[in-house]
Amino acid sequence: MKTTIVLSVLSAAMLLTACGGGSEEAREKKMEAEAAKHGVDADVELDDNGDVASVRINNGLGATVGSNLDLPDGFPSDVPMDGGWSIISTSAVPGQQDGFMVQAMSDESVADLAEQAQRDMTAAGWSEIAADNPTPQMSRLGFEKDGRMTNYILMDAGEKTSIQVVTMKKPG
């Protein structure tokens, strides 16, 4: 449900961007007002071309959606994130002070990304605790280190691969 609202707001923001007109600040305010009509408190940032660079949803989780986003402040430095990924969403994990969820897109295949994650996480001192391929188009990987866990879900999304990385303290 929240994902649908976020995507709707982002779509509306992009449509408003296409309308042009006014200063960058005025256009950002118009998009934020449109989001508010849908009950979403958002901060919109435009890039130098006047396109939507990011939309930060103020829901207490610090969710941000956009393209080519930066990793959130405090993201663990020992969780390797490939520089070639286009990060499209970041948020906190509910109930986890140091938990993060990052969604990205890549041109690499599911198999290549799974192999890369296994190699990079192991090199960073993580132990692989789970791996499966429920379908040929999907791979799930789990790692643990120092009372923390990191999970990857990799899915074929047509011409791109969708990547979800969740890292947080182990429950219990």
Side-chain angles (χ1 to χ4, degrees), residues 24-168:
E24 181 178 302
E25 184 177 336
R27 291 176 59 223
E28 288 174 354
K29 294 293 180 206
K30 282 173 61 175
M31 289 181 248
E32 291 165 359
E34 184 65 25
K37 288 180 188 176
H38 299 280
V40 177
D41 178 17
D43 294 318
V44 176
E45 240 183 80
L46 300 178
D47 64 17
D48 294 338
N49 296 324
D51 295 326
V52 175
S54 68
V55 178
R56 183 171 183 81
I57 307 301
N58 301 313
N59 62 356
L61 298 177
T64 302
V65 295
S67 61
N68 298 314
L69 300 173
D70 293 326
L71 288 171
D73 291 340
F75 190 86
S77 60
D78 63 346
V79 176
M81 298 292 284
D82 180 83
W85 298 358
S86 173
I87 298 173
I88 60 171
S89 173
T90 65
S91 66
V93 173
Q96 289 278 327
Q97 181 179 359
D98 297 321
F100 298 93
M101 182 172 68
V102 174
Q103 293 180 302
M105 300 300 285
S106 173
D107 293 328
E108 301 294 322
S109 70
V110 169
D112 288 346
L113 288 169
E115 183 180 306
Q116 176 186 356
Q118 289 167 319
R119 182 180 59 247
D120 292 350
M121 290 293 282
T122 301
W126 291 81
S127 299
E128 186 174 338
I129 57 169
D132 73 344
N133 296 82
T135 72
Q137 298 84 15
M138 180 181 186
S139 184
R140 297 183 295 203
L141 304 165
F143 301 89
E144 66 181 6
K145 176 183 177 184
D146 301 331
R148 297 175 293 146
M149 59 188 237
T150 298
N151 295 303
Y152 287 74
I153 298 175
L154 310 167
M155 292 181 21
D156 184 326
E159 293 183 23
K160 301 262 185 195
T161 299
S162 170
I163 304 158
Q164 181 181 56
V165 178
V166 178
T167 186
M168 62 188 204

